[in-house]
Amino acid sequence: MNYEKYLDVKPEVAEALAAGKPVVALESTIISHGMPYPQNVETALNVEKIIRENGAVPATIAIIGGRLKAGLTPEEIEYFGKKGTAIRKASRRDLAVLCARGEDGATTVTTTMMIAHMAGISIFATGGIGGVHRGAETTMDISADLEELAQTPVMVICAGAKSILDLGLTLEYLETKGVPVIGYGTEELPAFYTRRSGFGVDYRVDSPQELAKTFRVSKDLGLRGGMLVTNPIPEEYAMPLETINAAIDQAIAECNAKGIHGKETTPFLLARVAEITGGDSLASNIRLVYNNAALAAKTAAAFCQM
Ligand code: PSU
Ligand code: MN
């Protein structure tokens, strides 16, 4: 392996890692494809601020001009936010091609985990992960995020998964792949916009220290994969179940009618749900990311103490 020659760790991040200080990784597809401009940039910058306020150094991850970046400048975050979906959404299959060609790529949960691991970052905060799509038994649309969780030792802190996915099949897949699904302060899998889904998690954990300890043991045991922490959206920002379900059902119907498939599916559904709910879902989305950033910073701090 010789990945160092393609990797740029931002000096502030490299210094924190060398000193054993807490660092939290963040993804860039949520900026370019997950939210509209300018809220995406504003959110990304606020997330970095929240991580600092909670005692860790943020490292937003992206591919710029073929370089794997662990840590972006505010100008680079602005560039990603403004270019939006014109930047290629980069999953595992895209990494080598984009590096070889010197192109840009927005990192998904998958590639953010990969680059975080290369840089030596263990904890990663985001909004929602990809999973098994509804109808996957015929389309075979299963996010590469699940495979990455199975093979890369990074803890991913999210707000569960949107019910644009088949949550039951997503949990079955994670079980098969040996990925523990942990509820933070809950026994139920949160469904991103809502605190509840009707599906149980594998374990409930109630403190950043316990999360950190569990992940430390996983690393000590040499387990290959990651760990999925699902942190419910704060009650005051959660959406009414009927509103969000109706929007999701409509978005999925439109997606199928238009014949959208492959990597376009998730960005299409996210954007349509936001449009149909008139921006309410965007406000919830932003709040849950802040909530995950704070928990990730505290967990990273606890992890460094162990
Ligand atoms: N789900 C969300 N918000 C997101 C994504 C998923 O609620 O922004 C993004 C993440 O970057 C995730 C990717 O890794 O979409 C999954 O895409 P796909 O389903 O094509 O694997
Ligand atoms: Mn897919």
Side-chain angles (χ1 to χ4, degrees):
M1 268 189 300
N2 223 344
Y3 57 76
E4 290 88 354
K5 61 188 200 188
Y6 306 102
L7 180 66
D8 292 333
V9 183
K10 191 180 172 188
E12 184 197 7
V13 173
E15 281 160 29
L17 290 168
K21 294 200 175 130
V23 176
V24 173
L26 300 159
E27 61 156 306
S28 45
T29 293
I30 191 173
I31 306 175
S32 58
H33 292 66
M35 291 182 195
Y37 181 80
Q39 289 95 334
N40 55 1
V41 172
E42 197 186 299
T43 304
L45 295 174
N46 281 337
V47 165
E48 292 212 340
K49 188 161 158 268
I50 289 165
I51 286 172
R52 288 182 201 285
E53 286 165 0
N54 285 280
V57 172
T60 301
I61 289 180
I63 305 164
I64 300 183
R67 304 290 303 169
L68 308 179
K69 299 278 186 189
L72 299 187
T73 63
E75 294 71 31
E76 288 168 333
I77 288 176
E78 171 75 23
Y79 167 76
F80 259 73
K82 228 176 199 160
K83 264 192 112 176
T85 53
I87 294 186
R88 182 180 282 270
K89 177 179 158 191
S91 194
R92 177 173 267 270
R93 61 156 180 211
D94 304 288
L95 208 57
V97 181
L98 295 180
C99 270
R101 291 184 173 179
E103 289 179 12
D104 294 340
T107 54
T108 62
V109 168
T110 296
T111 37
T112 302
M113 287 180 77
M114 292 172 73
I115 297 170
H117 183 52
M118 289 177 197
I121 303 169
S122 296
I123 315 282
F124 162 24
T126 188
I129 59 156
V132 180
H133 279 264
R134 295 194 201 169
E137 58 275 22
T138 46
T139 63
M140 290 184 73
D141 190 353
I142 299 172
S143 176
D145 292 354
L146 302 183
E147 291 294 327
E148 209 56 46
L149 280 161
Q151 62 177 316
T152 300
V154 169
M155 176 188 281
V156 178
I157 299 184
C158 69
K162 289 198 175 84
S163 41
I164 58 172
L165 303 173
D166 186 319
L167 299 183
L169 291 186
T170 300
L171 288 173
E172 292 292 351
Y173 201 94
L174 288 168
E175 180 189 1
T176 301
K177 293 290 176 171
V179 179
V181 179
I182 293 169
Y184 188 71
T186 181
E187 265 130 46
E188 208 174 308
L189 179 75
F192 198 87
Y193 300 114
T194 56
R195 293 174 61 85
R196 309 192 56 178
S197 66
F199 292 96
V201 291
D202 301 328
Y203 294 96
R204 170 182 175 156
V205 166
D206 291 294
S207 70
Q209 288 69 28
E210 199 185 343
L211 286 178
K213 184 178 179 195
T214 309
F215 196 51
R216 179 58 75 195
V217 173
S218 175
K219 289 227 178 194
D220 287 345
L221 293 177
L223 301 184
R224 262 184 334 133
M227 196 169 273
L228 185 65
V229 177
T230 61
N231 186 26
I233 184 171
E235 188 81 63
E236 62 269 40
Y237 305 117
M239 294 194 66
L241 194 63
E242 314 73 53
T243 313
I244 199 66
N245 281 350
I248 286 172
D249 288 345
Q250 186 185 330
I252 289 176
E254 288 177 17
C255 186
N256 292 340
K258 284 181 195 278
I260 290 168
H261 61 271
K263 65 187 224 176
E264 314 302 339
T265 304
T266 298
F268 175 85
L269 293 174
L270 299 181
R272 277 306 284 146
V273 169
E275 282 164 16
I276 296 164
T277 57
D280 286 359
S281 67
L282 179 60
S284 295
N285 194 344
I286 291 170
R287 291 300 174 163
L288 66 84
V289 176
Y290 293 167
N291 190 45
N292 296 339
L295 177 60
K298 290 178 198 154
T299 304
F303 189 66
C304 288
Q305 307 287 314
M306 285 167 187

